[in-house]
Structures are given as C-alpha cells and as structure tokens.
Amino acid sequence: MTNDQSPISKLKENITKIRAQLRPGQIEMADWQSGPLAVSAVPGAGKSTGMAAAAAIAIARQYEYYLNTGNKEYKQLIVVTFTRSATANIKYKIREKLKELSLPQTGFAVYTLHGLALIIASRHPTLSGLQLENATLITPNQSHRFIRIAVEKWIANHPEIYLRLLAGQQFDGEETEKLRRQSVLRTEILPDLAYTVIHEAKSSEILPEDLLKWSEQTPDKYGILRVAAGLYAEYQKLMQLQDFIDYDDMILAALKVLKNPHICQIEQNKVLAVFEDEAQDSSPLQTDLLERLAGKKSEENVDKSTLNLIRVGDPNQAINSTFTPADPLYFREFCQDCQSTNKLAQMSQAGRSTQIIIDAANFALAWVNNQDFAKTKYQQTPFQDQKIQPVNQLEGNPEPVGKGLELYTPSDIHHTVTLLSQRVIELFTENPQSCAAILVRENRQGRWLAAALEPICKEHKIKLYDVGEKERRSHVPQEILSLLQFCERPHSPDYLKATLDVLVERQLIPTQDINTLASLPEEFLYPGPLTTPQTEIVQKAAHICRSLLRAYLELPFYQIISFFALTLKYDQAELATADKLAERVNQQIFGNSSIWEMISALSEIVSSERFEPVEPEDVEKQYTKEGQLTIITMHKAKGLDWDYVFLPFLHENVIPGKFWIPPQGQFLGDFTLSEVARAQIRAGLHQKPIPDIQQASEASKYLKIAEEYRLLYVAMTRAKKLLWMSAAKKAPFTWSKPENLQTSAPCPVFAALKRQFS
C-alpha cells in the first residue's frame, strides 16, 4: 500500500483483503448492500466470523459513502444474538474486523432480542405502556406463585370444568383417589398447562379470546383450550394488577411502539440494517419485531422486499421448539421466500471437524429423514437436506485422532465408564493441552458420571468440570437469604448456624464445630469477661458475623445485598447475579422497604422460582479450557466445540425417547394437556384446522422425536478430531435410579452408524 493512496482506495483495498479470506456463504453476506438475505449455515461453517466481516464491511461502505458525498448521516447497524455470552463474542469479532479496516470501532450495537426490545420500549414508555420504574421483570416457571395463584383462581371460578378433569376417564368416587387427583391437578397438570400456553400464546400475540374461538372448532371432553384460555386470562390479570412483566411482555411492548407509523419511521431511520444470528430459534413475535425495525415502511404488514435484514441460522440445529415457541419452520419459510428472489446463501463448508465425523453427521441426517415417521403428513422433515462439506482451503479440516469415529457397545454403564476413562487418559497423556467434553442428554446422567470419574481424573491430574454441578449451585439467593435471616434474628441458633455454614462453604472460615458455636449465639458474638477465651479461628468467624450485623444496622436496605456479596468474596458471575438479585428485590419492596419485606421477597425467590444467574461474558471459555474434561448437556453444548467429544448412554429410551405420560396424570388419558394445547395453538397460528386430542397428541410426538434427533446431530457436530459414541447393553430405565439396570435397546441412529462405519 503506498502513502499517496486516497482514504477511499485504502478502504476498498482493506475490504477486498477481508473478503478474500471468506468462504462461500460468508462472501454473499459481505457483498450484501440492501434488501433481505437468508443464510442457511451448517454446524462449524463460521457463522459469527462471516457475520462479523459482513457487519464491518457494511459499516465501511457507509463510511465510504460519507467520503464520496460528505453526507454525515450515519445509521447504526443492529446485530441480534440469542444469548448474552454470544453478544460479547460477536462484538469482539466486529471490532477486530473494523481494526483491520482502520476504522473506529463504532457504528454498531449488539443485543439479545429481549435487550433490543427493552431499549425500544424504554424510549417510548407512553406508547409501550412499559413503566420500568414501577414494573418488575419475572421469569415465570411452572412453580411461580403467579401461575399457582392463577390455577387456584381458575379452579374457584370454574368448578364444573374442574370436576370434569377430576373425574378423568373414569372415577369410582373413592376419597383417597380424589385427594390424590386434586393434588396432581393443582400442583402439576394445570400449572404445566398454564406455563406452556401462556408462553406459546403470548409469544405469538394470541389472546385468551383467540383460544376460546379455537376451542369451539374442536370441542373435546375436557375443553382443553377453554381451560387454557381461562388460566391465561387469570395470569394476565395478576400480572397487570401488580405491575409485573415477563420477557414476552417486553417484546409486545416494543411492538406497540413500532406499530405507531410515526415512531416506527423514527426508529427505522436510525438503523442501517439488522443482522440476526441463530435465526432458527426466533419466535413469531421476535421475527415480527426485527422485520418492523429493518423495514422501510411502517404499515401494519411490513413489505418484506424492503427489509434491510440478514438472518443467519441452521434449521438442523433447532433444538428448543418443544419447550419454547421457537420453530424451525419460520426460518425455513424465510429461506424459501429469499430463495425465490435469489437472496438465499448457503454456508455448507465447515472446517471444524475431521472428514469421518462430517460423514457420520451427514449419514445420520439422511438416515433420519428416510425413516417412516419422517415421511408423514406433517409440515416438514426433521432435517433440511443440507449436507456438511469440508472446506476448500489450504489449512483444510483437522486430521483425525485414532479412527476419528469410535463406536462402542459396553456391557453396562459401569463398563462404559471404564472404556471412556481409559480413552480420556490416553488422549490427555498424548496431548495434555487438548480439550474434551462428555455430552449427556440429562443432568442426572452427568451427575452420575462426574461422581464415577472424579477419582480417576484426580489420580491422573485431569481437570474435571461438571457444568451441571455449577448450575445446581444456584446458591446466591439462598446464601444472601441465610445472612439476612441471621441479621434479623442473630439470637436464633438455626440462623446463626446457617450463616456459619455459608462462611465455611465459601472458605472464609476454617471448618470447625459449628453446632457448639451456634448453640450459644450471644456468647459467640459478644463474649463477656467470664466467657472461655475464643480460639483464633472462632474469633475470625465471630468477627465476620459482627461485621454483617454492623452493615445491616448502618447501611441502607438497597446496599445490603451488594455488601453481603462482597463479604462472601463472590466471583464475577456471582457478583453480577447478586446485583441482579438486589435490583429485583429492591423493585419488589419499593415503597414498603423493611427487612421483613426483603426476607419475604428472597424467600419467595428461593422457594418457588428458579432464579436465573448472570453468566460472565467469557462463560463459554470455562467450558472449553485446555487440559479439561467438561461434562455438559447436549443442549448447553450448542455453539461450542472440543477436540474430543464423548457421547455415552445413547439408548432408544433416551434418544429419541418414548412419549411418556407420568403415571399420576394417566387418569386423564394417554396424553398431556400441555402438549395437546401446544399443538392446537401452533395449528391455529398457521391458520390450519385445529386438531382434536388424538391428532394433537400425534403431532406433539412427532415434534419431540424430530427435535431429539436434531439434538443428537448437534452433539455429534461438536467434535473436531474424535467422536466417541456408546450404547451399553444394560442401562437404567430412569436415571433417577441408576442402580436399576435392565437390557436397553440402542438409539436407532447409533445402531445405523454401527452398521455403516464398523
């Protein structure tokens, strides 16, 4: 590059250099200038790298336009990702590409979908109806108090329908059975139905009145959609009455803003384009939000040909649709629309895995799509026919370790551990800096494996990281509550003991006889002249406890939780979680601040709601560290990769699994109310006839099987150099009782792979 080059020619040269490094599919993204573009990418194709390059080049072209015309009207590029950790990753990559272009690292913003919705809704509180200073954000689950209260209110207001559910298929009136059914309906079946329906309906802008209309199309004995509509309506009343909102409300609030033509025009004028990652996981509501923001018009129905929108995803990695409103169908439809106007790019080359792993993944995809269950009347095959291709570059795909694909049939799960641990020791001995992961279908498998492997890994100095164990320690709310209860009643032996337990667990004080200390709280905290002198370790414990009491007396309420978090020496993620917890508690007790209200709010969180911890931005690095064997679920492994991946326990009753009705709910029939309602709502959303119970149940079974096979495909494609798979001849029927072994059939895909590759 010469010194007399103009800024424009330098910029063009830098753009050309970045473009030359890209693969097919990535190049189409980099060449995008306007309009909609769909990018269908296989696992390991470099979606985020391509998106970062395309984003940087789009920003550069805007800068080039300014250099050519002098027009300083800059617009911002919006990048939307699925998780908070992914936002940090894509932000870093875009900044690096802007550095390569010698441009300022500005001109773009990266959000999660809900973060973007919150920004839009907050700018226009009158339109959105979202008053954040008064509203409290919740993450409802089946046991959340609002859902429990909604169930009780619905039962009180609809005694006849409730009695019909109680009677089930048949009922002899026996009192013990009646009480059992009442308990199951109130605490399991109806809360599950409420949670599923509320999430499905709200995320598609479906109202309780819509569900009532649909219920008239296919009446059934229980009136499932009518029950669902009633539960949904009760829940909404509770939310509005107490100024609570959930994540779907945030999206709805942003859409209210964008449905105002004038404001929509203002918001659109700020945006250069919208780039969406993981598009296969978007719900209809989220898609609507992005299309309105990326459009050039503000009519009720956006003209999709005007969208400045790139959507990148892989429908074959859609693994959330059976427990969220996401459905790969929507992204497939977007791809088809774009294909009709030559606006579809395919990223089929992937440099992640060695050739035999690619072959195995492609074989699994084709095999599943060829099965009888996949050739049904349902809307789509489990997989889109898009095969992974190796990269056509000098560096190529990695070389295999061993055979690259190793398939085992151990005698039982204990033999599985023996074979797996032997291979792990061999691999880490050969290459101590490599990384490996065991992907399990459920956390209980991971817990059992971690216990079995821990002594072996310790002996061979292999770091074992059990992700499920970290998640099970959703300890922040419980620990803060224990400290608060102690501060409110320091004379209570139970509360003092709970606090000392926390201090020992956090390694802030040495292990000691806590029961003796807690038996006489006054002597421990404030020893008198006649008290037996305390040892040094007891003095340290008493000092920390007194500092907690002092802070409780001197600090304002809103600072107490943060102080406790610092006292407990929380790490980055725990401190962020404590801040989030403090914000939520302070919002909940606003206007009625007292220690009792704070304890009450925390007790509610601990007892009835899973509090979502905040993860550090580099959380994924913790899972893929060199020299580490990570145990993680298949779902959580999405987006990650390791040198070696182990997939044990591949049995038919696990993948694809059997559609299992809990025994306690079988009095209603061989279906679950929530799954029937989900299938009926999706049919109504797609403007198809509402299926009856039998048809809806069959549809939900198909969706589950299809998604389980996609989950296995995701797990297989996490491996770079070695994919180790096994299905033991004997395994537990349920992993809640791993000691009860019985003969188990292998996962059909595993059996087919054995025939093909052995």
Side-chain angles (χ1 to χ4, degrees):
M1 184 185 295
T2 59
N3 291 330
D4 59 351
Q5 274 186 296
S6 70
I8 292 177
S9 59
K10 284 181 182 179
L11 189 58
K12 285 183 175 178
E13 187 174 315
N14 288 337
I15 290 173
T16 303
K17 281 182 182 177
I18 289 180
R19 190 182 180 281
Q21 300 165 7
L22 302 177
R23 299 200 286 260
Q26 294 175 330
I27 291 173
E28 283 89 335
M29 290 170 70
D31 290 346
W32 172 90
Q33 294 195 32
S34 65
L37 177 67
V39 183
S40 184
V42 298
K47 288 184 296 175
S48 59
T49 300
M51 183 174 281
I57 289 172
I59 293 165
R61 287 205 179 99
Q62 186 174 224
Y63 185 65
E64 183 185 346
Y65 176 74
Y66 155 66
L67 292 175
N68 278 322
T69 64
N71 187 332
K72 292 186 179 181
E73 188 187 348
Y74 285 118
K75 295 186 177 185
Q76 191 174 51
L77 181 73
I78 303 294
V79 181
V80 181
T81 66
F82 198 62
T83 62
R84 284 191 296 268
S85 58
T87 61
N89 179 43
I90 192 71
K91 199 180 293 182
Y92 171 78
K93 288 187 174 183
I94 294 172
R95 284 175 177 161
E96 289 300 302
K97 292 298 178 186
L98 287 171
K99 280 184 192 175
E100 291 179 36
L101 292 165
S102 300
L103 289 176
Q105 294 160 50
T106 57
F108 72 98
V110 185
Y111 301 102
T112 62
L113 274 159
H114 294 109
L116 175 62
L118 190 59
I119 293 286
I120 295 169
S122 301
R123 283 188 196 137
H124 310 279
T126 306
L127 265 181
S128 68
L130 201 62
Q131 305 293 334
L132 287 176
E133 63 274 14
N134 300 324
T136 302
L137 177 65
I138 63 167
T139 307
N141 59 27
Q142 189 178 328
S143 60
H144 192 276
R145 65 189 174 101
F146 279 6
I147 285 182
R148 296 201 319 268
I149 295 169
V151 166
E152 294 302 326
K153 283 183 172 292
W154 179 85
I155 290 172
N157 294 333
H158 301 86
E160 289 183 11
I161 305 176
Y162 175 66
L163 288 174
R164 205 177 304 144
L165 289 169
L166 199 62
Q169 291 182 304
Q170 56 182 10
F171 182 49
D172 59 9
E174 202 267 323
E175 188 64 22
T176 306
E177 173 62 12
K178 178 183 176 184
L179 292 172
R180 186 191 73 81
R181 291 187 183 188
Q182 283 180 337
S183 175
V184 171
L185 280 169
R186 287 172 179 266
T187 63
E188 295 178 34
I189 293 172
L190 290 175
D192 182 37
L193 174 63
Y195 170 72
T196 300
V197 166
I198 290 162
H199 204 20
E200 283 282 336
K202 281 180 82 170
S203 65
S204 305
E205 287 191 279
I206 294 168
L207 301 172
E209 304 87 79
D210 300 319
L211 298 183
L212 283 173
K213 287 178 187 173
W214 292 347
S215 70
E216 293 168 4
Q217 292 183 30
T218 310
D220 61 76
K221 177 180 178 180
Y222 303 124
I224 295 173
L225 281 182
R226 181 170 290 279
V227 175
L231 292 167
Y232 180 13
E234 294 290 356
Y235 172 83
Q236 286 296 89
K237 284 180 200 169
L238 286 166
M239 293 282 283
Q240 289 161 8
L241 193 63
Q242 299 194 34
D243 285 325
F244 274 60
I245 59 169
D246 56 30
Y247 283 104
D248 289 323
D249 288 319
M250 286 163 60
I251 304 282
L252 287 164
L255 276 170
K256 283 182 188 175
V257 171
L258 296 180
K259 285 180 179 178
N260 178 292
H262 174 64
I263 300 299
C264 185
Q265 198 74 52
I266 292 172
E267 291 293 333
Q268 288 171 346
N269 288 340
K270 299 175 186 174
V271 176
L272 174 65
V274 177
F275 288 9
E276 181 193 12
D277 195 13
E278 301 292 354
Q280 76 279 354
D281 290 323
S282 287
S283 69
L285 208 61
Q286 294 164 346
T287 302
D288 190 16
L289 172 66
L290 296 184
E291 288 183 348
R292 288 179 184 281
L293 194 60
K296 290 183 182 175
K297 298 181 180 178
S298 53
E299 288 87 353
E300 185 65 26
N301 294 310
V302 177
D303 179 1
K304 294 189 179 182
S305 66
T306 69
L307 298 177
N308 285 328
L309 175 65
I310 294 183
R311 302 188 71 200
V312 185
D314 180 1
N316 295 338
Q317 291 190 73
I319 56 173
N320 299 318
S321 62
T322 56
F323 56 88
T324 75
D327 192 319
L329 179 69
Y330 304 120
F331 181 59
R332 286 192 187 186
E333 288 174 347
F334 182 78
C335 289
Q336 289 163 4
D337 290 344
C338 288
Q339 189 173 22
S340 65
T341 56
N342 294 317
K343 291 283 188 176
L344 171 67
Q346 293 197 328
M347 295 173 63
S348 56
Q349 291 184 15
R352 173 188 294 160
S353 305
T354 192
Q355 183 65 55
I356 193 165
I357 296 174
I358 290 175
D359 292 341
N362 287 337
F363 173 82
L365 183 153
W367 184 88
V368 170
N369 272 357
N370 267 326
Q371 298 312 294
D372 288 341
F373 88 94
K375 300 172 183 176
T376 64
K377 59 188 176 183
Y378 297 107
Q379 295 164 322
Q380 53 189 340
T381 54
F383 292 99
Q384 184 167 292
D385 188 15
Q386 182 170 310
K387 291 189 175 180
I388 308 170
Q389 304 291 338
V391 296
N392 296 320
Q393 292 179 346
L394 292 175
E395 66 271 18
N397 294 67
E399 289 297 315
V401 168
K403 295 179 181 178
L405 176 67
E406 298 178 5
L407 308 168
Y408 295 90
T409 310
S411 57
D412 59 24
I413 58 173
H414 304 289
H415 188 205
T416 301
V417 171
T418 302
L419 293 175
L420 190 154
S421 58
Q422 285 173 352
R423 195 67 177 107
V424 166
I425 293 164
E426 289 169 7
L427 292 166
F428 278 104
T429 302
E430 291 169 10
N431 187 357
Q433 300 307 308
S434 57
C435 61
I438 304 171
L439 309 189
V440 292
R441 177 61 187 85
E442 55 178 290
N443 274 314
R444 286 178 296 188
Q445 293 174 336
R447 194 177 308 150
W448 184 87
L449 261 177
L453 289 172
E454 188 175 14
I456 301 169
C457 289
K458 189 175 285 186
E459 179 187 345
H460 292 273
K461 295 182 171 56
I462 298 168
K463 184 180 178 187
L464 183 66
Y465 184 88
D466 179 12
V467 174
E469 179 60 32
K470 297 292 180 186
E471 290 179 342
R472 286 191 289 277
R473 295 178 195 150
S474 203
H475 50 265
V476 172
Q478 179 61 67
E479 289 178 351
I480 299 293
L481 176 61
S482 296
L483 268 57
L484 266 177
Q485 288 173 325
F486 159 69
C487 288
E488 198 265 325
R489 290 181 61 194
H491 54 278
S492 163
D494 289 343
Y495 290 156
L496 174 56
K497 183 183 175 185
T499 292
L500 292 171
D501 278 333
V502 170
L503 298 179
V504 170
E505 178 68 29
R506 302 295 309 177
Q507 298 182 328
L508 296 174
I509 61 174
T511 303
Q512 52 198 291
D513 186 0
I514 289 174
N515 289 301
T516 300
L517 302 183
S519 62
L520 296 168
E522 292 86 352
E523 282 190 12
F524 166 69
L525 291 168
Y526 300 103
L530 300 179
T531 306
T532 305
Q534 294 178 334
T535 63
E536 188 178 340
I537 61 172
V538 172
Q539 287 176 2
K540 184 177 181 181
H543 173 73
I544 294 176
C545 289
R546 286 194 296 270
S547 72
L548 294 173
L549 289 170
R550 194 176 307 117
Y552 164 68
L553 293 171
E554 295 175 3
L555 289 175
F557 286 124
Y558 60 85
Q559 291 182 359
I560 289 176
I561 291 178
S562 298
F563 177 83
F564 285 175
L566 291 170
T567 302
L568 295 175
K569 295 186 178 177
Y570 280 163
D571 62 23
Q572 176 194 354
E574 290 167 327
L575 284 172
T577 301
D579 286 343
K580 176 182 173 183
L581 180 68
E583 183 182 357
R584 172 162 160 191
V585 169
N586 290 328
Q587 279 184 342
Q588 201 161 330
I589 67 173
F590 181 76
N592 191 17
S593 296
S594 69
I595 190 65
W596 299 283
E597 288 298 324
M598 187 176 277
I599 288 173
S600 175
L602 270 170
S603 299
E604 175 67 30
I605 289 168
V606 169
S607 64
S608 68
E609 180 177 346
R610 178 176 175 268
F611 184 77
E612 297 283 350
V614 175
E615 296 177 332
E617 290 192 339
D618 61 350
V619 64
E620 293 181 353
K621 291 181 182 175
Q622 296 177 25
Y623 302 157
T624 56
K625 283 182 180 174
E626 292 181 350
Q628 176 174 288
L629 176 63
T630 302
I631 300 177
I632 189 169
T633 61
M634 293 177 178
H635 275 104
K636 205 162 185 66
K638 184 180 173 185
L640 306 175
D641 53 42
W642 294 267
D643 296 320
Y644 323 124
V645 167
F646 296 83
L647 304 180
F649 316 135
L650 297 175
H651 297 103
E652 188 175 29
N653 69 329
V654 176
I655 295 178
K658 298 194 175 164
F659 206 78
W660 185 69
I661 311 298
Q664 63 269 29
Q666 289 177 359
F667 66 89
L668 291 170
D670 59 349
F671 54 86
T672 62
L673 299 190
S674 59
E675 291 302 326
V676 168
R678 187 200 303 275
Q680 291 178 329
I681 289 170
R682 290 193 180 183
L685 182 62
H686 294 297
Q687 298 181 331
K688 295 186 178 297
I690 305 299
D692 60 24
I693 286 181
Q694 188 61 36
Q695 293 166 334
S697 182
E698 288 300 317
S700 62
K701 288 177 187 176
Y702 171 81
L703 288 173
K704 181 185 184 302
I705 292 170
E707 185 154 302
E708 290 292 334
Y709 281 135
R710 287 197 295 270
L711 184 60
L712 178 60
Y713 175 79
V714 167
M716 291 173 67
T717 53
R718 302 308 95 197
K720 296 180 184 177
K721 302 173 183 177
L722 173 66
L723 175 60
W724 188 102
M725 305 172 75
S726 75
K729 292 176 183 175
K730 287 192 173 182
F733 173 73
T734 170
W735 279 88
S736 59
K737 296 179 180 177
E739 66 281 359
N740 293 345
L741 302 182
Q742 60 185 45
T743 302
S744 297
C747 165
V749 171
F750 177 81
L753 285 166
K754 282 274 285 182
R755 292 191 296 269
Q756 181 72 13
F757 290 93
S758 294

